[in-house]
Amino acid sequence: MSVQPSRVEARFQLAAVMVEEGNYSEALRTLEEALMLAPCDLNCLALACRCLEGLGRHAEALAAAERLCGLDPASTFLALREVFHCRPDDVFVVTFPRCGTTWMVQIVVSCLFGPRANYEDHALFLEGSIASSASYVRKLEELPHPRVLKSHVPADMYPGLAHGKDSILQSYGKVIYVVRNPKDALISLRHHHANNQAIGWDGSWDEWVDQWISGQRSLEYGGSYFDHVNGWWKLSQHHPDRIRVVYFEDLKVPNRRTLDMTSFFQRVCVQADLSAEIGAVASFLGLSLEKEALAEAGSSSAHM
């Protein structure tokens, strides 16, 4: 017998009203009825996560979030918004795709773990890891301090937002958001999609520009580049002590770039002293680095 969608939707809407009133127990019971009818309903699962968190049943909320991500990896941000708890020393490095995420992660890792530290040993690509295995929803809680989390999450889905709030942050966690010239971001993402066999973009440049500007090439990250940057800029204005906006171009020295063609992807290797930028990041993170350490970290990050 087929399930009438209206019956599931009606229960979801009723549960949503109950959640607004703080009646998590009744809301959860109503959602469980809906999930009996439609076990894979993503909206019901996400709201169930919020109810379980509201009732202090965090382990069960994590299990529901893991199930949600397993059913639909695109729901990763939705799930994390409901169950993620920031620690005092959490650092998020966030960008729109192809805007210097890995570079800034290496700078942060150099600040926190020393100039010779490898970012792959200390940082986690949030949505990428969960897409590969939904169990990472749980494993996030097992990561050692401090957690360095790399992400392309849009501002309104940032896991560090207070649960159920749009612009209020949790008590802990800091964000470094990197902005890049949109023309360069457009070109870089186009090459990435063309060279990635799993994507295999082979359309024209005109098609790419239209789709990139409209956000069709980045729907999983909330839409267009401009919406992404605007959302984070506005959030940073509300929380300047917790969200630092950095410009990709400030990390470069014009006319002193070389392309490393030996790697499996092209990346810009800057022959420059980044100690000033690293010092600013360290200060934002509440760290104090000696002059010699800054110089060594700058040299290390510049040659990554």
Side-chain angles (χ1 to χ4, degrees):
M1 182 178 69
S2 61
V3 176
Q4 296 181 10
S6 59
R7 296 174 62 190
V8 176
E9 178 65 18
R11 284 173 169 78
F12 171 77
Q13 294 296 342
L14 177 59
V17 172
M18 293 174 176
V19 168
E20 287 295 321
E21 296 174 346
N23 191 348
Y24 295 113
S25 295
E26 284 301 309
L28 184 60
R29 184 184 64 79
T30 303
L31 289 168
E32 288 171 345
E33 292 175 356
L35 289 167
M36 288 288 290
L37 297 170
C40 298
D41 188 276
L42 303 179
N43 289 327
C44 288
L45 279 171
L47 194 57
C49 291
R50 184 177 302 184
C51 292
L52 290 164
E53 279 290 328
L55 293 169
R57 295 158 60 178
H58 182 59
E60 293 174 75
L62 282 176
E66 182 177 344
R67 182 182 172 196
L68 177 59
C69 293
L71 288 170
D72 178 32
S75 295
T76 293
F77 295 143
L78 180 62
L80 290 177
R81 277 283 277 116
E82 303 299 346
V83 301
F84 188 86
H85 293 271
C86 281
R87 299 173 182 170
D89 52 3
D90 279 347
V91 181
F92 284 81
V93 175
V94 182
T95 74
F96 188 78
R98 311 302 294 176
C99 289
T101 333
T102 301
W103 198 355
M104 181 52 69
V105 166
Q106 182 63 59
I107 291 176
V108 170
V109 166
S110 295
C111 289
L112 294 173
F113 301 100
R116 301 188 184 281
N118 187 335
Y119 81 92
E120 293 180 343
D121 297 331
H122 298 284
L124 182 77
F125 181 26
L126 197 58
E127 56 268 28
S129 298
I130 293 174
S132 66
S133 174
S135 64
Y136 270 96
V137 173
R138 294 174 182 270
K139 292 179 181 178
L140 283 172
E141 306 219 332
E142 302 169 3
L143 294 177
H145 293 257
R147 293 185 296 192
V148 180
L149 302 171
K150 164 184 169 180
S151 180
H152 301 307
V153 62
D156 61 349
M157 296 302 291
Y158 168 47
L161 286 168
H163 298 152
K165 304 298 182 181
D166 295 328
S167 60
I168 300 175
L169 300 183
Q170 294 182 30
S171 299
Y172 304 115
K174 289 189 173 183
V175 180
I176 298 174
Y177 184 77
V178 186
V179 182
R180 188 180 189 183
N181 182 305
K183 181 191 72 174
D184 294 335
L186 178 153
I187 293 172
S188 181
L189 189 61
R190 194 273 182 192
H191 286 310
H192 177 68
H193 280 204
N195 295 329
N196 188 322
Q197 293 183 354
I199 301 173
W201 168 263
D202 60 357
S204 69
W205 272 103
D206 286 344
E207 291 174 313
W208 176 264
V209 171
D210 288 342
Q211 292 189 23
W212 187 89
I213 290 176
S214 68
Q216 294 180 57
R217 303 309 305 178
S218 49
L219 292 175
E220 66 271 38
Y221 300 117
S224 78
Y225 164 95
F226 305 100
D227 291 338
H228 202 280
V229 172
N230 188 46
W232 275 105
W233 176 258
K234 287 182 177 179
L235 195 60
S236 74
Q237 299 306 292
H238 289 294
H239 307 281
D241 59 327
R242 301 276 299 281
I243 302 173
R244 181 183 179 90
V245 176
V246 176
Y247 296 94
F248 180 90
E249 288 70 26
D250 289 344
L251 301 178
K252 301 194 302 179
V253 176
N255 303 320
R256 298 184 68 184
R257 295 180 295 168
T258 59
L259 287 178
D260 179 6
M261 303 299 291
T262 63
S263 180
F264 73 98
F265 66 100
Q266 288 188 359
R267 58 184 177 181
V268 178
C269 297
V270 178
Q271 312 301 317
D273 178 7
L274 298 179
S275 58
E277 288 78 7
I278 291 178
V281 171
S283 177
F284 174 68
L285 298 178
L287 303 174
S288 177
L289 300 183
E290 297 295 332
K291 183 177 180 180
E292 293 78 8
L294 280 174
E296 187 175 1
S299 176
S300 173
S301 297
H303 289 80
M304 65 165 289

